[in-house]
């Protein structure tokens, strides 16, 4: 029997005719693996995105996934493997494969067959089937593909199935008395896992039954020695029974009974939420059987660490019959407790009288380990200062468990580390209702959600909010939510009796070193977003260099005052501060003088503007806009400038929300010119990625702050807004903006700007069908760019003039302009412009009746737009390829291309493209006999053209509808 086509049980393999086939790079291979792990089942684009970009997907992720799947189809088809089963479904894909074509499915079928033979007593057939099933494994599941948490359940299931199959096969060998292979395999397995008592039991039994009694006794003695050394325990009853049979003596004496100890404080009577955390902690604690388990739980102030530790300890105490110890280590007090004193307290709790407690700390720790070795205790160590305080208090052997809580991470502690954060939304709502009274939230669910948002779902804050509602029956949840709205007064509202969020935050802050305290205050002046460490350094000013800043941030993260949220597209770490902690940081920052605060904000504006200019100078596309001269960033910004220039799109993507917030911050400071400069630098990126809302917001806010637009900055803002109106089919608004901008540029003597505005004006004329006006305006555009010496602009103008001739159906007149535009774009290395020109060249070939040449040009353009992650332009090209496929009768490929393009254009709000694509999909479904679906798409196209007031196009679609048969 030949190799299965697809192999997952080891390195990912694809075989065709006995020959291995290479499939793409890491991401296409990961996509194929994900689909094959769930053969025949729907896999959403979201799931594929999580696999391919586990640290955070780029906005182009959906388009990239489509490209990878398209390339997979091509690669499989080229190798002679049918790709018909690789189906495109709404928002995802599925891969139908035959069971014999995937080693994973073949393994499961053979294993089922082996078990059936075993169950009917045919051990010979069972052994043969077990061996053929296990023979399909070439290593770990997908061992050469980067692992993904999405795969974990499936991979774990397969690995467990394999391990179970191996054990079952060993059992069959034992019954068949196949001792030679069985003993070799058992010894090999025990080398890998020497604590498996079932394997020891099987080894001792096999040696004894094969007449090798001396070796059997030696194996049992080795099992005793290993279990005692590694786990501090005796063999279990089943293994001990085999040992007694081999050695001929009775079992060992039972353990001596001890008096239990119960020191846990009272559980919180109305403890609510943390369901997943409780289950995870209980699972970890339950592993304390033959060796001790230590769980170190850390989290920010107010996250309910102590309450959760006590609650879980009460739930788990039945599993620890010798008792529970509880110690408050006073980690955040002025004098954390000395481990020697704590050891003495714990020993007294275990029944050691004072006179026999050793004087030295090391001796006390040794005595504690000895007392715990043969007992099962649950020990709760609350509010630990650090790992050094905790380590002497841990057991060495036995079945005890230790649950440690601390505000600090303790990576040096030999423990399972468990990080605690805010509550899930539904659990926070349940806690609020429990404390305030569930009836208080029934009639004001929206107000309750606003309260939870103000509390950041932090347990301490939610409990305080609930207590305030409980004590003020006249308040609604909305009343409290309104009080929490103001960040500067929020902490004043979150206090009730001895509970106070501010006090909890202050306790952590006052233990910080100076540099970490400065970094903490800096967060109070930063946007409420995850920020890069370099931006914190900018906000700190001259207070710290990069090394000091990194150390300060590490301190804040270790103490859970900030959270490291991965790395950005440049590989730089980012940090987030909880909203309530940020409120406290803002209180501290507000205590500085106005001059100090203003200086900090301006440093941030200047640094981000300088970096944006550096990024724009290195962008893979050339935006038709006006920018400031690139300058070398200073200070902390200079340290990342090279990384920004190496990955400008990724940097803009990472900092987008902060950049938008900084434009608004500059306006609040009265720095309109600086706000305008930053807004203009952002337009290129917003255009590339289709962030039209951010584009309009930043530009309109700045324009509204300019009393009488009359300089080049204002004209550039107007030109960019005109471009945005053009994308959104608001042609009258677009034309007004372009004409106004052109007039201002002319008045201030800015010929390049005037040409840019004229290019937009000509585009409006072309779209509206006034081709004479478009040609005249584009000719003016070309002249203006040539006068300004702007060769990029010349390429734009040549391509635009060609577009008019193509609209007139004159490919001969368009050809020379396209040749000139392509030559300019390639000379300049402007790949984006090259792709745009190739789109026009495809139209030229289509007009000439050369569909194959047109398809080739469109594929080149699509590859370029894919490389540049320009989903908008890529969708236009997919539409053109889909239309070609439709005309040539390739309905399957046309459907996938057009549906994907429609989803992108709908997301970006390009209504003209939506209308055009809907009409094409209507034609496709009419051609394939799906008249009801065709009618749906035609109606969608018709209504969109009518909203755009494109009556001629609407009438064309209406005529198509009339040709369909009347439906129900």
């Amino acid at each position: 029997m030949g190799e299965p086509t697809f192999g997952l049980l080891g390195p990912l393999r694809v075989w065709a005719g006995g020959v291995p086939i290479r499939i793409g790079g890491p991401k296409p291979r990961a996509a194929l693996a994900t689909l094959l792990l769930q053969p025949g089942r729907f896999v959403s684009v979201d799931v594929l995105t999580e696999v391919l970009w586990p640290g955070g997907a780029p906005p182009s992720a959906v388009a990239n996934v489509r490209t990878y799947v398209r390339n997979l189809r091509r690669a499989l088809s080229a190798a002679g493997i049918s790709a018909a089963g690789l189906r495109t479904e709404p928002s995802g894909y599925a891969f139908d494969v035959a069971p014999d074509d995937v080693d994973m499915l073949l393994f499961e079928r053979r294993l089922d067959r082996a078990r059936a033979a075993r169950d009917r007593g045919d051990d010979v057939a069972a052994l043969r089937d077990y061996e053929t099933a296990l023979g399909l494994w070439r290593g770990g599941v997908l061992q050469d593909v980067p692992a993904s948490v999405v795969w974990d359940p499936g991979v774990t299931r397969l690995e467990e199935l394999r391990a179970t199959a191996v054990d079952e096969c060993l059992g069959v060998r034992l019954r068949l008395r196949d001792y030679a292979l069985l003993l070799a395999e058992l010894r090999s397995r025990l080398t890998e896992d020497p604590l498996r008592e079932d394997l020891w039991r099987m080894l001792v039994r096999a040696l004894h039954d094969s007449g090798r009694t001396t070796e059997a006794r030696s194996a049992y003695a080795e099992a005793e020695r290993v279990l005692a050394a590694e786990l501090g325990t005796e063999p279990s009853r089943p293994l001990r029974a085999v040992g007694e049979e081999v050695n001929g003596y009775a079992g060992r004496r039972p353990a001596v009974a001890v008096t239990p100890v119960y020191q846990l404080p009272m559980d919180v009577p109305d403890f609510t939420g943390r369901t997943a955390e409780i289950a995870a902690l209980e699972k970890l604690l339950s592993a304390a059987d033959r060796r001790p388990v230590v769980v170190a739980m850390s989290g920010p102030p107010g996250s309910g660490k102590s309450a959760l530790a006590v609650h879980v300890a009460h739930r788990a105490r039945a599993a620890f019959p010798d008792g529970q110890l509880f110690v408050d280590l006073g980690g955040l007090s002025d004098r954390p407790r000395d481990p020697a004193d704590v050891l003495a307290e714990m020993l007294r709790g275990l029944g050691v009288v004072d006179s026999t407690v050793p004087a030295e700390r090391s001796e006390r720790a040794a005595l504690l380990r000895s007392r715990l070795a043969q007992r099962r205790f649950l020990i709760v160590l609350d509010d630990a200062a650090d790992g050094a305080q905790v380590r002497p208090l841990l057991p060495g052997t036995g079945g005890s468990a230790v649950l440690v809580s601390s505000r600090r991470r303790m990576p040096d502690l030999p423990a399972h580390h468990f990080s605690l954060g805010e509550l899930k939304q539904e659990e926070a709502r349940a806690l609020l209702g429990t404390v305030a009274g569930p009836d208080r939230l029934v009639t004001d669910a929206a107000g309750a959600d606003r309260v939870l948002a103000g509390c950041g779902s932090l347990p301490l804050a939610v409990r305080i909010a609930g207590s305030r509602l409980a004590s003020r029956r006249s308040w609604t949840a909305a009343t409290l939510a309104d009080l929490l709205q103001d960040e500067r007064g929020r902490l004043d509202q979150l206090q009730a009796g001895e509970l106070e969020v501010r006090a909890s935050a202050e306790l952590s802050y006052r233990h910080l070193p100076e540099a970490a305290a400065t970094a903490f205050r800096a967060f109070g002046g930063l946007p409420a977003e995850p920020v890069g460490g370099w931006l914190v350094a900018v906000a700190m000013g001259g207070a710290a260099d990069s090394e000091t800043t990194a150390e300060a941030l590490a301190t804040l993260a270790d103490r859970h005052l900030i959270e490291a949220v991965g790395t950005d597209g440049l590989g730089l770490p980012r940090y987030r501060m909880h909203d309530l902690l940020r409120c406290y940081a803002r209180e501290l920052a507000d205590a500085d003088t106005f001059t100090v605060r203003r200086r900090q904000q301006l440093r941030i504006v200047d640094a981000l503007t300088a970096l944006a200019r550096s990024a724009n100078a290195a962008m893979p596309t050339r935006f038709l806009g006006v920018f400031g001269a690139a300058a070398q960033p200073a200070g902390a910004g200079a340290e990342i400038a090279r990384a920004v220039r190496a990955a400008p799109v990724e940097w803009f993507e990472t900092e987008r929300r902060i950049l938008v917030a900084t434009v608004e911050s500059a306006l609040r400071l009265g720095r309109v010119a600086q706000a305008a400069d930053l807004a203009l630098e952002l337009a290129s990126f917003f255009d590339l990625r289709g962030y039209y809302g951010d584009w309009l917001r930043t530009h309109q806010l700045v324009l509204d702050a300019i009393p009488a637009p009359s300089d080049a900055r204002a004209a550039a803002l107007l030109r960019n807004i005109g471009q945005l109106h053009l994308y959104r089919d608001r042609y009258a608004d677009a034309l007004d903006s372009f004409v106004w901008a052109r007039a201002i540029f002319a008045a201030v003597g800015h010929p390049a700007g005037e040409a840019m505005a004229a290019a937009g004006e000509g585009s409006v004329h072309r779209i509206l069908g006034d081709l004479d006006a478009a040609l005249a305006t584009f000719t003016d555009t070309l002249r203006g760019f040539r006068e300004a010496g702007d060769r990029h602009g010349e390429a734009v103008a040549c391509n635009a003039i060609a577009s008019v001739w193509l609209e007139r159906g004159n490919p001969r007149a368009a050809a020379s302009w396209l040749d000139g535009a392509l030559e300019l774009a390639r000379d300049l290395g402007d790949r984006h412009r090259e792709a745009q020109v190739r789109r026009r060249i495809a139209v030229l070939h289509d007009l000439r009746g050369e569909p194959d040449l047109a398809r080739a040009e469109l594929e080149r353009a699509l590859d370029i737009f894919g490389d540049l992650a320009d989903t908008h332009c890529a969708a236009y090209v997919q539409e053109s390829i889909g239309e070609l496929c439709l005309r040539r009768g390739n309905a399957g490929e046309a459907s996938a291309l057009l549906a994907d393009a429609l989803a992108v254009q709908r997301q970006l709000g390009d209504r003209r493209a939506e209308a055009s694509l809907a009409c094409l999909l209507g034609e496709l479904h009419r051609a394939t006999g799906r008249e009801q679906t065709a009618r749906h798409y035609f109606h969608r196209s018709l209504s969109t053209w009518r909203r755009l007031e494109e009556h001629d196009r609407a009438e064309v679609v209406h005529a198509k509808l009339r040709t369909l048969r009347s439906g129900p």
Side-chain angles (χ1 to χ4, degrees):
M1 184 179 294
E3 292 281 348
T5 303
F6 301 102
L8 307 180
L9 306 181
L12 177 63
R13 294 288 183 268
V14 179
W15 294 79
V19 177
I21 303 301
R22 175 167 175 75
I23 296 293
K27 284 189 166 49
R29 287 167 61 78
L32 176 62
T34 306
L35 292 167
L36 289 173
L37 279 170
Q38 303 181 67
R41 293 169 58 189
F42 171 75
V43 179
S44 70
V45 171
D46 289 341
V47 168
L48 288 168
T49 299
E50 175 63 24
V51 171
L52 300 180
W53 295 277
S60 61
V62 175
N64 290 351
V65 169
R66 286 197 297 270
T67 300
Y68 298 146
V69 174
R70 186 171 69 246
N71 291 342
L72 282 174
R73 287 195 181 100
R74 288 180 183 170
L76 294 175
S77 298
I81 301 170
S82 174
L86 184 48
R87 296 182 282 110
T88 300
E89 298 188 359
S91 304
Y93 302 91
F95 199 175
D96 297 323
V97 286
D100 288 346
D101 285 345
V102 184
D103 60 1
M104 173 185 71
L105 299 178
L106 193 55
F107 165 70
E108 294 187 33
R109 289 181 65 193
R110 290 178 179 177
L111 181 57
D112 288 342
R113 195 166 59 201
R115 287 170 170 171
R118 178 200 62 187
D119 292 345
R120 66 173 180 265
D122 189 351
D123 283 339
V124 173
L127 181 59
R128 182 180 61 249
D129 289 333
Y130 274 120
E131 288 177 337
T132 58
L134 292 167
L136 291 167
W137 286 79
R138 297 167 285 110
V141 179
L142 296 169
Q143 67 182 40
D144 65 338
V145 182
S148 169
V149 295
V150 173
W151 300 344
D152 282 351
V155 170
T156 300
R157 184 187 69 84
L158 285 170
E159 297 284 5
E160 289 177 350
L161 205 57
R162 178 193 191 184
T164 302
V166 170
D167 290 345
E168 292 172 359
C169 186
L170 291 173
V172 172
R173 285 191 192 281
L174 182 61
R175 287 197 299 276
L176 289 172
R177 299 179 177 273
D178 185 6
Y179 294 126
L181 285 175
L182 174 62
L183 291 170
E185 210 165 329
L186 283 169
R187 292 193 186 280
S188 174
R189 294 289 303 280
L190 282 166
T191 301
E192 299 172 2
D193 192 354
L195 303 181
R196 284 277 303 273
E197 290 197 43
D198 57 334
L199 298 180
W200 282 114
R201 187 171 68 250
M202 199 178 296
L203 176 64
V204 174
R205 170 61 63 193
L207 287 168
H208 183 57
D209 290 352
S210 61
R212 299 158 68 174
T213 304
T214 301
E215 291 180 61
R217 290 172 178 171
S218 177
Y220 180 74
E222 176 68 6
E224 279 192 312
R225 187 192 65 76
V226 168
L227 295 172
E230 295 295 327
L231 303 179
T233 62
E234 296 178 337
S236 64
R237 184 179 298 278
L239 177 55
R240 209 161 55 238
V242 175
E244 290 168 4
E245 181 182 345
V246 169
N247 289 290
Y249 58 78
R252 298 179 181 273
R253 64 183 181 279
V256 178
V258 295
T259 304
V261 178
Y262 306 111
Q263 292 185 350
L264 291 179
M266 181 185 293
D267 193 6
V268 177
D270 57 356
F271 190 95
T272 306
R274 297 292 191 198
T275 305
E277 290 88 344
I278 291 170
L281 288 168
E282 288 182 334
K283 182 177 180 181
L284 289 171
L285 295 178
S286 68
D289 183 12
R290 299 173 182 174
R291 65 178 68 184
V293 168
V294 181
V295 181
M297 180 173 60
S298 60
S303 57
K305 299 176 292 298
S306 298
L308 178 59
V310 171
H311 183 70
V312 169
H314 274 282
R315 290 172 59 99
R317 64 182 182 179
F320 300 92
D322 293 315
Q324 303 87 43
L325 299 176
F326 179 89
V327 183
D328 182 353
L329 297 179
L332 282 178
S333 64
D334 292 332
R335 296 182 62 185
R337 296 189 64 187
D338 188 319
D341 295 337
V342 176
L343 283 166
E345 178 183 326
M346 295 175 72
L347 287 170
R348 286 193 294 270
L350 293 173
V352 178
V353 297
D354 284 340
S355 60
T356 60
V357 172
E360 295 296 324
R361 190 183 82 173
S362 60
E363 294 178 355
R364 292 179 180 182
L367 180 57
L368 178 70
R369 291 193 295 271
S370 178
R371 284 298 179 111
L372 294 174
Q374 300 300 322
R375 304 166 76 181
R376 288 178 56 77
F377 268 91
L378 176 57
I379 304 167
V380 179
L381 303 176
D382 188 40
D383 191 20
D386 51 35
Q389 185 191 33
V390 172
R391 273 195 303 275
L393 314 179
L394 302 180
T397 57
S400 295
V402 184
L403 183 55
V404 188
S405 70
S406 176
R407 292 196 185 187
R408 298 181 181 182
R409 292 187 177 91
M410 294 174 286
D412 56 331
L413 204 62
H416 299 279
H417 295 278
F418 193 91
S419 187
L420 203 62
E422 56 261 29
L423 289 167
K424 296 176 182 177
Q425 179 74 6
E426 61 272 18
E427 292 188 334
R429 187 182 294 109
L431 175 59
L432 183 65
T434 299
V435 179
D439 59 302
R440 304 293 299 280
L441 309 185
V442 172
T443 59
D444 193 6
D449 286 343
R450 289 172 55 214
V451 169
L452 296 176
C455 294
S457 293
L458 196 68
L460 174 61
V462 174
R463 183 168 288 279
I464 292 171
S467 297
R468 296 204 70 190
L469 286 174
S471 63
R472 291 166 175 80
R473 303 300 299 178
S474 61
W475 282 14
T476 63
T479 305
L480 180 55
D482 290 341
L483 294 173
L484 295 174
Q485 190 71 29
D486 180 12
E487 286 191 354
R488 285 182 166 80
R490 185 175 299 170
L491 297 184
D492 292 330
Q493 302 300 326
L494 292 175
Q495 49 187 339
E498 295 183 357
L499 298 177
E500 186 178 354
V501 172
R502 181 187 286 106
S504 181
E506 193 275 334
L507 192 60
S508 290
Y509 174 75
R510 65 186 172 93
H511 284 83
L512 291 174
E514 182 178 353
T518 302
F520 183 89
R521 291 196 303 275
F523 274 90
L526 293 172
E529 300 287 341
V531 298
W534 65 270
L535 189 58
V536 179
V538 169
M540 292 171 69
D545 56 23
S546 58
E547 185 176 344
T548 304
T549 303
E551 185 177 343
L553 291 171
T555 299
L556 294 180
D558 285 343
R559 303 188 185 191
H560 287 281
L561 295 173
I562 59 174
E563 176 187 7
V565 289
T567 56
D568 57 26
L570 277 62
L572 301 173
R574 297 187 76 77
Y575 303 91
R576 168 186 172 269
M577 180 175 279
H578 190 279
D579 286 347
L580 292 179
L581 289 174
R582 193 168 49 79
C583 287
Y584 182 62
R586 175 169 290 179
E587 286 185 358
L588 297 172
D590 285 348
D592 293 330
T593 65
F594 173 76
T595 303
V596 170
R597 296 199 305 273
R598 181 183 178 88
R599 190 182 303 127
Q600 181 197 51
Q601 293 299 312
L602 290 177
R603 278 199 306 267
I604 294 170
V605 174
D606 291 342
L608 287 172
T609 303
L611 283 170
R613 284 176 174 160
S614 293
N616 261 323
M619 283 287 278
T621 64
R622 174 70 179 233
F623 180 68
L624 198 63
V626 176
F627 306 104
Q632 177 63 34
E639 297 178 11
I640 70 160
R642 179 178 297 179
V644 169
R645 287 191 291 270
V649 177
E650 290 80 359
W651 181 79
F652 272 126
E653 187 65 63
T654 297
E655 307 296 350
R656 174 172 66 94
R657 294 167 67 92
I658 289 176
L659 288 162
V660 171
T662 303
V663 172
E664 299 171 11
S665 175
L667 289 174
R668 286 194 298 272
L669 292 169
R671 297 299 184 97
V672 178
Q674 286 170 281
D677 287 343
L678 181 53
L680 290 170
E681 297 298 334
L682 302 181
S684 173
F685 169 69
F686 290 158
D687 181 52
L688 176 66
R689 287 293 172 86
Y691 290 129
Y692 298 155
D694 288 339
W695 186 349
L696 180 61
R697 177 174 177 78
T698 53
H699 280 52
Q700 196 62 58
L701 281 173
V702 178
L703 267 179
D704 291 344
I706 301 175
S710 59
D711 61 3
R713 283 192 181 95
L717 290 165
L718 285 166
R719 195 225 71 85
N720 289 355
I721 286 180
Q723 187 72 30
L724 185 56
H725 287 324
L726 183 63
Y727 287 159
R728 291 186 161 180
D729 309 309
R730 298 171 59 177
Y731 305 119
D733 292 337
L735 191 59
D736 286 346
S737 295
F738 287 135
V739 170
W740 191 3
R742 189 176 178 184
I744 296 175
F745 278 129
V748 299
H750 197 308
E754 189 177 353
M756 291 174 194
E761 187 180 336
S763 295
V764 177
H765 291 314
R766 180 180 60 78
I767 291 171
L768 294 178
D770 190 349
L771 299 183
D772 291 337
L775 187 59
T777 308
F778 287 145
T779 303
D780 290 343
T781 299
L782 179 61
R783 183 166 49 252
F785 281 130
R786 283 176 173 167
E787 289 175 3
D790 187 340
R791 298 183 71 214
H792 284 278
E794 281 189 61
V796 171
C798 289
N799 197 35
I801 291 171
S803 72
V804 177
W805 289 114
L806 292 174
E807 289 275 353
R808 287 177 167 173
N810 190 340
R812 178 177 296 179
S816 61
W817 292 105
L818 289 172
D819 289 342
L822 184 61
E823 183 179 357
L824 278 166
R826 299 183 72 173
D827 285 349
L828 293 165
D830 188 341
R831 298 187 69 216
H832 193 273
R833 186 58 51 196
E834 178 188 344
Q836 294 285 20
V837 175
R838 290 193 181 279
R839 284 183 60 204
R840 302 291 186 200
I841 295 174
V843 176
L844 181 145
H845 285 305
D846 200 29
L847 288 172
R848 287 175 173 172
E850 301 165 341
D852 290 335
L853 293 176
R855 173 73 183 259
E857 290 295 338
L858 289 171
E859 291 287 357
R860 292 190 187 102
L862 185 60
D863 287 342
I864 293 173
F865 288 136
D867 289 344
L868 299 177
D870 187 341
T871 55
H872 195 184
C873 290
Y876 276 118
V877 178
Q878 282 189 257
E879 177 182 356
S880 299
I881 298 175
E883 189 172 1
L884 277 177
C885 292
L886 179 59
R887 293 209 307 263
R888 304 185 78 180
N890 189 347
E893 187 175 4
S895 177
L897 288 164
L898 296 174
D900 284 347
L902 179 61
V904 172
Q905 300 291 22
R906 181 171 53 200
Q907 180 182 4
L908 295 176
D910 190 333
R911 292 178 295 163
R912 288 182 65 85
E914 277 191 71
S916 176
L917 283 160
C919 183
L920 286 172
L921 283 164
E923 292 177 4
L924 183 149
H925 288 290
R926 180 177 62 181
T928 53
R930 301 183 182 91
E931 294 189 358
Q932 190 61 34
T933 305
R935 186 175 292 106
H936 162 76
Y937 279 112
F938 281 141
H939 276 297
R940 182 171 172 178
S941 176
L942 177 64
S943 63
T944 305
W945 285 127
R946 282 176 173 169
R947 286 198 303 274
L948 294 173
E949 298 183 357
E950 290 277 1
H951 302 297
D952 291 343
R953 293 179 184 268
E955 181 52 39
V956 169
V957 179
H958 197 206
K960 295 178 186 293
L961 267 171
R962 288 196 296 268
T963 64
L964 288 172
R965 297 194 308 271
S966 298

